[in-house]
Amino acid sequence: MKVLVFDMKGRLAHFRKFYTNSSSLSYLLPPRTTLMGIVAAIMGYERDSYYELLSSENLNLSVRIMFKPRKIMQTLNYMKIENPKDVYKVKDHTQVPFEVIASENGNVVYRVYLNHKDEEVYKIIKDKIATSRCEYPIYFGTAPFSASFEFVGEFEAENIDGIQEIVTPINKDFIEKLDFNFEDFTLARERMPRDFYSDRLIKEAATYIFEEEGKALKVKLNCDALRLQNGENIVFM
């Protein structure tokens, strides 16, 4: 199997948790559905047109944190809109907490791993990313947080088993054993969406385990894991 690898970079990010209402809390990393949207933007797919083509059954995706993150809580002053006239003559405002992901040492950087089961689609995606071309701009979750991407490479991947050091988020249902015997380590657990129905309702969600700075987790899994030629061990989300 060949796996396409590219880095996404930006100053700030916000990936809204799908189960929050009164406040806009953020995931530390983009969920698989957000990665789908980024790939769709690069490819130029229209909104709501790509859910089957880029579903987990067809597109393999994963991501790794490549920076030391910190969270900043801001309060946004939203307009209270109850009818079209309120857009032009604002009567009231509402304040909403808004969580932003920043970096302790520069840019927010995520590494994306990608493979599509359709070779022709994969070749088109590879051509776009390898030449740094995209049809629509990409963002880290919301329009003010623009991002860019940089091609890392295409690597052969081989299946591995046993206890391995995995650098990407792992579905908790696939973990048989997790080794906690190391220092300077922060474990995170997030429930994130995986797929959409055609009407944009969440089709599937899963709980993922990962290290907050993208450090490898030493685990034994009951699913397929891959070792890339560049030495990284990954599982798809």
Side-chain angles (χ1 to χ4, degrees):
M1 175 189 290
K2 292 183 179 180
V3 176
L4 195 66
V5 182
F6 64 97
D7 288 344
M8 302 189 301
K9 301 178 181 180
R11 295 298 298 172
L12 300 168
H14 172 80
F15 308 110
R16 186 178 181 274
K17 295 185 177 183
F18 73 94
Y19 51 81
T20 61
N21 289 318
S22 59
S23 62
S24 296
L25 300 178
S26 176
Y27 296 113
L28 277 176
L29 48 77
R32 189 189 174 284
T33 48
T34 300
L35 297 174
M36 285 170 58
I38 289 172
V39 173
I42 292 172
M43 297 293 288
Y45 295 145
E46 295 292 335
R47 178 184 173 94
D48 300 335
S49 68
Y50 56 85
Y51 298 145
E52 182 176 353
L53 181 64
L54 303 185
S55 69
S56 57
E57 296 177 354
N58 296 311
L59 179 67
N60 294 314
L61 279 170
S62 198
V63 64
R64 180 185 184 182
I65 297 173
M66 301 290 287
F67 65 103
K68 186 175 182 180
R70 65 188 179 100
K71 293 184 175 182
I72 304 170
M73 186 63 76
Q74 299 288 326
T75 300
L76 299 185
N77 200 28
Y78 288 156
M79 295 185 297
K80 188 174 183 180
I81 305 298
E82 296 179 341
N83 58 69
K85 293 182 180 179
D86 290 343
V87 175
Y88 305 100
K89 189 175 182 181
V90 181
K91 295 180 181 180
D92 201 0
H93 292 80
T94 181
Q95 292 187 331
V96 176
F98 186 85
E99 194 171 46
V100 178
I101 305 302
S103 173
E104 293 281 1
N105 49 14
N107 284 325
V108 172
V109 183
Y110 299 101
R111 176 159 293 179
V112 180
Y113 308 86
L114 179 154
N115 168 271
H116 200 284
K117 294 180 180 178
D118 186 317
E119 291 187 6
E120 291 304 316
V121 175
Y122 175 79
K123 288 179 182 178
I124 297 171
I125 296 173
K126 175 187 171 182
D127 179 65
K128 293 281 189 183
I129 292 173
T131 56
S132 299
R133 293 184 293 119
C134 59
E135 298 299 324
Y136 299 125
I138 64 172
Y139 305 95
F140 275 162
T142 187
F145 302 148
S146 61
S148 61
F149 63 90
E150 179 179 334
F151 181 58
V152 175
E154 181 184 42
F155 302 99
E156 288 288 344
E158 61 178 1
N159 290 323
I160 53 175
D161 53 21
I163 297 176
Q164 302 292 340
E165 294 186 346
I166 306 296
V167 299
T168 54
I170 308 167
N171 188 323
K172 75 174 184 63
D173 295 334
F174 298 154
I175 298 176
E176 289 188 0
K177 182 180 179 181
L178 177 61
D179 186 354
F180 290 95
N181 295 323
F182 49 95
E183 299 178 355
D184 191 22
F185 171 83
T186 304
L187 193 67
R189 171 179 169 143
E190 295 278 19
R191 185 159 181 81
M192 298 186 287
R194 291 189 72 237
D195 271 324
F196 283 134
Y197 287 110
S198 59
D199 54 4
R200 206 173 175 80
L201 293 176
I202 293 175
K203 181 179 181 180
E204 183 183 359
T207 300
Y208 293 92
I209 307 296
F210 57 93
E211 204 283 325
E212 287 193 352
E213 296 181 23
K215 298 173 184 175
L217 297 181
K218 193 173 184 180
V219 295
K220 183 179 181 181
L221 304 174
N222 59 14
C223 70
D224 291 334
L226 296 174
R227 174 169 295 144
L228 306 186
Q229 282 178 318
N230 66 352
E232 293 177 294
N233 298 334
I234 69 168
V235 292
F236 290 121
M237 298 172 74

